Amino acid sequence: TEYLLSGRIPGTRATFRVAASNAYGRSPWSAEFVAATADGVPATPAAPKPTLFGKASGEQFVRLELTASAYAGVYGESVRYYQLEEVLISQGGDRGISSIFNVSADEMALERSRINIKDYVYRARAVNSVGPSAWSGETLIPNDYTNVASTP
């Protein structure tokens, strides 16, 4: 007999015990045993959230906060770091220069200076010893960010 338990999170363990039953009754429960799912990459984090916009010494900046991944992907291990991708969007709407920044899992935020007259797109992913998660959804920060809601 075989039993397939689906929907498990990669890199987790579960404890099981079994008993047999037939027309004459049920057997005693077996000793417990532990089974583990294969390790995997972390869950995809949420899109970065803009939490602060401002000017310092005449330079514009935005603070982007990251949300922790729902699971690390490897049993007994945590996410090593996050990556934040910044893409500069041209005035014609074309994607231009792309930069990737490593963000400590302890920090979970990054402040970036901005060039006035440019739109930016940001997205994030989590990284563990197996590899990176899929990229999050995108967060667009338009040139005129005065109408962009920030999160307290």
Side-chain angles (χ1 to χ4, degrees):
T1 301
E2 185 178 296
Y3 178 73
L4 176 63
L5 179 62
S6 62
R8 301 289 304 162
I9 295 173
T12 59
R13 295 181 183 198
T15 302
F16 299 93
R17 59 188 187 145
V18 296
S21 63
N22 61 21
Y24 299 104
R26 191 187 80 201
S27 71
W29 286 101
S30 70
E32 290 184 348
F33 62 96
V34 176
T37 59
D39 291 336
V41 298
T44 303
K49 294 179 185 175
T51 59
L52 178 67
F53 300 96
K55 283 188 176 185
S57 304
E59 187 175 315
Q60 294 184 11
F61 67 90
V62 60
R63 179 179 171 86
L64 295 144
E65 292 194 1
L66 306 177
T67 302
S69 190
Y71 61 89
V74 177
Y75 184 76
E77 184 180 306
S78 57
V79 169
R80 290 188 172 181
Y81 58 93
Y82 290 83
Q83 290 185 319
L84 180 71
E85 182 184 44
E86 174 183 78
V87 180
L88 182 63
I89 308 297
S90 73
Q91 290 177 332
D94 295 327
R95 289 175 181 254
I97 299 169
S98 173
S99 301
I100 296 177
F101 304 94
N102 291 340
V103 180
S104 162
D106 295 329
E107 293 293 321
M108 299 300 290
L110 186 68
E111 285 188 8
R112 293 293 303 145
S113 62
R114 295 171 37 86
I115 300 170
N116 196 15
I117 72 163
K118 300 290 183 186
D119 294 343
Y120 291 85
V121 171
Y122 296 92
R123 63 184 184 162
R125 67 181 177 185
V127 180
N128 68 10
S129 61
V130 176
S133 70
W135 285 105
S136 71
E138 295 182 338
T139 299
L140 170 67
I141 307 291
N143 169 44
D144 179 12
Y145 59 81
T146 56
N147 295 321
V148 176
S150 62
T151 307

